[in-house]
Amino acid sequence: MAVEDEGEETRRPLLRDTELTGTLWTALAHIITGVIGSGVLSLAWSMAQLGWIAGPFSILLFAFFNLISASILCDIHIFSNNTTTVVNRSYLQAVNTFLGSKNGFVCGCLVYFSIFKTGVVYTITSAISLRWLSIIAAVMSFTYSFLGMGLGLAQVIGQREIKGNISGIQATNSTQKVWLVAQALGDIAFAYNFSLILLEIQNTLKSPPSQKVTMKKASSIAISTTSIFYLLCGGFGYAAFGDSTPGNLLTGFGFYEPYWLIDFGNACIVLHLVGGYQIYSQTLFVNVERWYVEKFPESAFATDIQSLKVLSLPEFRVNPLRLCFRTAYVILTMGVAMLFPYFNEVLAFAGSIIFWPLTIYFPVEMYILQKKVVAWSKKWIVLRLYSTFCLLVTIFTLAGSIEGLIAKRFG
């Protein structure tokens, strides 16, 4: 088994307990904040495609997948053999440590794609939410999700009717129904994915109890809480609109009144996603800029600081590499978002393409190595069947999302 050299940082001894301040509650807050995002706005639409039985079941099924993944990742925080002990401070580092540099390269590509797709999705959602927008206020990151759920409940109470049916929306033909179901599952997958941040959160926890115990408990509570929230948000939205359920609960022409509250919800979305765009993109920015400096240490493009003055604005200092790369990145995400401004289809594509490799495959493979699971043993067979089933689900959702994007883009 190859272990890639991750530098001195990975070989540092474990931090003393007094240097770690994370608790169950901080971990819980980080997970919930990381999980709940713009994907929650598509869950009512997903529920409408799947119906009252398959919809809730699918949400709970993906919650189960993520719970297993979280439990597995908690066990691989520390890698130890006869010669070395490595603290895996990130998901990508863990893959490099357990599975070697080749798998690490593939994982890195998927991680950076995940960051990029988040930028694209956040650009699309923010752009949609700017329509009708007249009020900007400081709000918590997922206030708009509660607004969507509350408005759905209020509409159900007001109309005194629970809309929807067991089989979901009736499509024009059976083939189209299959594609819509696939897209709905992809949207649910996007709403749940949080594997990439789990090890970073675990690395901040103090002990006793052990970091693994605390993180498993936090993951269980967070996923259970999130699942209940998703079921309520998706269920109330579907119950309110039935076959007319919009793709985006707040901006899909579902709610019109009260206007000030809808505007407030869209302001929340913009404020949340603008900040989220910056946070998610920083990882990619830092890694690319570090790679360039290491590759071209003598390059003035990476080390110079230039003074720049625009019109009457105060003079500010910029680095040419940062200015060019970050500007190009923003333009690229905006370009893709403009080319494919289709909320549900883009969410489905983004969720399906990373679900199996990052949530299922890499964690399972690392767990098998960590626990030295014997090939063809009962545990090994169960893990392989689990991974294969999730792969088939991913292929199905990916095909549906691609079909949806092509249909929307080219008619």
Side-chain angles (χ1 to χ4, degrees):
M1 174 172 49
V3 179
E4 180 177 315
D5 185 1
E6 287 285 330
E8 185 63 29
E9 182 179 2
T10 63
R11 296 192 181 89
R12 289 185 304 188
L14 292 175
L15 293 175
R16 296 188 299 273
D17 293 345
T18 55
E19 297 175 338
L20 298 172
T21 58
T23 65
L24 171 67
W25 297 108
T26 61
L28 189 60
H30 283 311
I31 295 173
I32 292 178
T33 303
V35 172
I36 296 178
S38 60
V40 70
L41 299 174
S42 71
L43 292 179
W45 181 88
S46 298
M47 190 84 78
Q49 311 311 313
L50 298 167
W52 279 120
I53 294 180
F57 175 78
S58 297
I59 290 176
L60 294 176
L61 183 64
F62 277 93
F64 175 71
F65 290 154
N66 278 270
L67 187 60
I68 293 178
S69 177
S71 179
I72 289 174
L73 287 171
C74 290
D75 286 331
I76 63 173
H77 180 222
I78 298 176
F79 167 79
S80 182
N81 58 22
N82 295 329
T83 60
T84 185
T85 297
V86 177
V87 180
N88 294 304
R89 305 178 190 278
S90 70
Y91 185 98
L92 183 55
Q93 182 186 339
V95 173
N96 274 296
T97 301
F98 282 94
L99 304 178
S101 58
K102 291 183 179 179
N103 281 286
F105 174 78
V106 174
C107 179
C109 293
L110 291 168
V111 168
Y112 295 138
F113 170 80
S114 178
I115 295 171
F116 178 76
K117 61 86 179 171
T118 300
V120 172
V121 170
Y122 280 15
T123 300
I124 293 173
T125 313
S126 298
I128 294 173
S129 297
L130 283 170
R131 303 173 187 173
W132 321 315
L133 182 58
S134 60
I135 300 176
I136 299 294
V139 292
M140 295 190 304
S141 63
F142 50 92
T143 300
Y144 59 83
S145 303
F146 285 100
L147 287 176
M149 181 175 65
L151 288 169
L153 176 60
Q155 181 127 337
V156 171
I157 295 173
Q159 66 193 12
R160 298 181 179 180
E161 178 187 4
I162 296 177
K163 296 184 177 180
N165 54 69
I166 293 177
S167 60
I169 294 175
Q170 298 298 315
T172 54
N173 54 65
S174 57
T175 302
Q176 185 62 27
K177 179 66 175 179
V178 170
W179 292 135
L180 290 173
V181 167
Q183 292 173 32
L185 292 176
D187 284 359
I188 296 173
F190 179 90
Y192 263 112
N193 185 54
F194 78 102
S195 300
L196 296 180
I197 63 174
L198 190 143
L199 289 177
E200 284 91 338
I201 297 172
Q202 186 170 342
N203 195 53
T204 67
L205 300 178
K206 63 182 180 181
S207 58
S210 70
Q211 292 177 315
K212 180 172 68 174
V213 170
T214 302
M215 197 64 203
K216 286 188 176 183
K217 186 175 182 180
S219 299
S220 299
I221 296 174
I223 292 175
S224 299
T225 303
T226 302
S227 299
I228 293 172
F229 180 77
Y230 282 179
L231 287 170
L232 292 175
C233 195
F236 287 151
Y238 183 38
F241 297 107
D243 287 357
S244 301
T245 302
N248 184 319
L249 198 55
L250 285 182
T251 61
F253 301 99
F255 297 109
Y256 292 96
E257 296 181 353
Y259 292 113
W260 69 268
L261 190 58
I262 304 302
D263 284 348
F264 179 76
N266 284 293
C268 297
I269 295 173
V270 173
L271 291 173
H272 174 209
L273 300 189
V274 167
Y277 182 98
Q278 294 292 329
I279 293 171
Y280 276 99
S281 299
Q282 280 300 321
T283 301
L284 181 60
F285 293 160
V286 170
N287 287 337
V288 169
E289 290 159 8
R290 180 187 299 150
W291 170 85
Y292 186 91
V293 170
E294 292 175 353
K295 189 74 173 179
F296 308 101
E298 304 299 325
S299 173
F301 186 66
T303 58
D304 280 359
I305 302 294
Q306 303 288 339
S307 296
L308 186 65
K309 184 174 177 60
V310 179
L311 300 177
S312 60
L313 296 176
E315 184 178 85
F316 57 96
R317 309 182 72 191
V318 297
N319 172 261
L321 174 61
R322 288 187 174 185
L323 177 63
C324 293
F325 174 72
R326 298 186 184 198
T327 301
Y329 176 83
V330 172
I331 292 174
L332 182 60
T333 56
M334 288 179 63
V336 175
M338 291 170 64
L339 187 62
F340 296 99
Y342 316 119
F343 182 73
N344 296 98
E345 291 78 11
V346 171
L347 254 64
F349 177 78
S352 59
I353 203 169
I354 65 170
F355 168 69
W356 178 73
L358 296 184
T359 303
I360 307 299
Y361 174 74
F362 286 124
V364 166
E365 294 301 314
M366 290 187 287
Y367 180 83
I368 288 174
L369 289 174
Q370 172 83 319
K371 298 299 183 180
K372 298 181 174 61
V373 180
V374 179
W376 299 108
S377 64
K378 184 183 295 186
K379 191 174 188 178
W380 185 92
I381 292 173
V382 169
L383 288 171
R384 293 299 185 194
L385 290 175
Y386 166 67
S387 182
T388 302
F389 172 75
C390 291
L391 173 60
L392 295 176
V393 172
T394 294
I395 293 172
F396 175 60
T397 58
L398 182 60
S401 65
I402 293 174
E403 188 278 338
L405 285 173
I406 292 175
K408 280 290 183 69
R409 185 69 182 89
F410 301 105

